[in-house]
Amino acid sequence: MMSVSYYTAEGLKKLRDELEHLKSVERPKASQAIAEARDKGDLSENAEYDAAKEAQGMLEMRIAKLEEIHANARLIDESHLDTSKVLVLSNVKIKNQANGMELKYTLVAESEADLKTGKISVTSPIGKGLLGKSVGEIAEITVPNGKLNFEILEISRD
């Protein structure tokens, strides 16, 4: 059994859209590729047929995995989240104690993490280190190249 995953409304929509695309667009393409390869003759020596069957198998595995994730997905109700501590969906402004650099992150579920847009996973080292902290606290975070200390400057929600 897979564990429960928490999603924002946007993240859950992306998951549903991807699943729908795989089922309605990619699955028929895979079936068509198999049919075309089958029409080319002897299946025992048809590498194109074997490749198409393997691609279909990989597609079906991906669909099954996404269906399982979707079945265990829970939508986060942002109205009930505490803003005094860093939690999932918190916008956190932190200051690196070593160099004084200020950073802003939004903590999200692992599946929604995107560093380019400032969204980090709550399961990442920095995300784990920030969870549960309040404004003014120092988070000591162990990263691959040592320990970093971040001061929590601000916590907000969109």
Side-chain angles (χ1 to χ4, degrees):
M1 172 142 192
M2 195 168 169
S3 63
V4 173
S5 298
Y6 293 95
Y7 286 85
T8 61
E10 175 188 346
L12 194 56
K13 183 182 180 328
K14 280 184 185 177
L15 178 68
R16 285 184 184 135
D17 290 347
E18 181 181 358
L19 187 56
E20 185 59 34
H21 175 76
L22 291 177
K23 286 179 169 181
S24 63
V25 177
E26 297 301 323
R27 189 181 264 166
K29 279 185 189 176
S31 296
Q32 181 64 32
I34 290 170
E36 287 174 8
R38 191 181 308 122
D39 291 343
K40 293 187 176 169
D42 186 9
L43 297 182
S44 64
E45 295 178 15
N46 190 335
E48 193 174 324
Y49 177 78
D50 293 338
K53 287 293 281 181
E54 187 174 327
Q56 182 189 38
M58 298 296 280
L59 176 66
E60 292 302 326
M61 280 181 18
R62 177 75 178 141
I63 289 172
K65 178 151 180 67
L66 287 178
E67 284 176 335
E68 184 178 358
I69 290 169
H70 186 261
N72 292 304
R74 301 293 178 265
L75 187 62
I76 298 170
D77 183 2
E78 296 178 52
S79 65
H80 291 87
L81 296 178
D82 182 7
T83 57
S84 67
K85 293 182 179 174
V86 177
L87 301 169
V88 176
L89 296 184
S90 292
N91 295 317
V92 185
K93 187 176 183 181
I94 57 176
K95 181 178 183 179
N96 186 331
Q97 300 260 279
N99 62 15
M101 189 171 161
E102 291 185 5
L103 304 162
K104 223 175 179 182
Y105 292 118
T106 301
L107 273 70
V108 295
E110 189 172 350
S111 58
E112 294 183 56
D114 180 10
L115 195 55
K116 287 183 239 168
T117 59
K119 294 179 179 180
I120 61 171
S121 168
V122 291
T123 59
S124 70
I126 292 175
K128 282 181 187 176
L130 294 175
L131 282 176
K133 299 285 190 261
S134 300
V135 173
E137 283 190 66
I138 304 294
E140 187 177 291
I141 300 168
T142 304
V143 292
N145 62 344
K147 288 190 187 281
L148 297 173
N149 291 317
F150 293 106
E151 179 183 358
I152 312 294
L153 300 177
E154 188 181 301
I155 301 169
S156 63
R157 302 250 187 269
D158 283 340

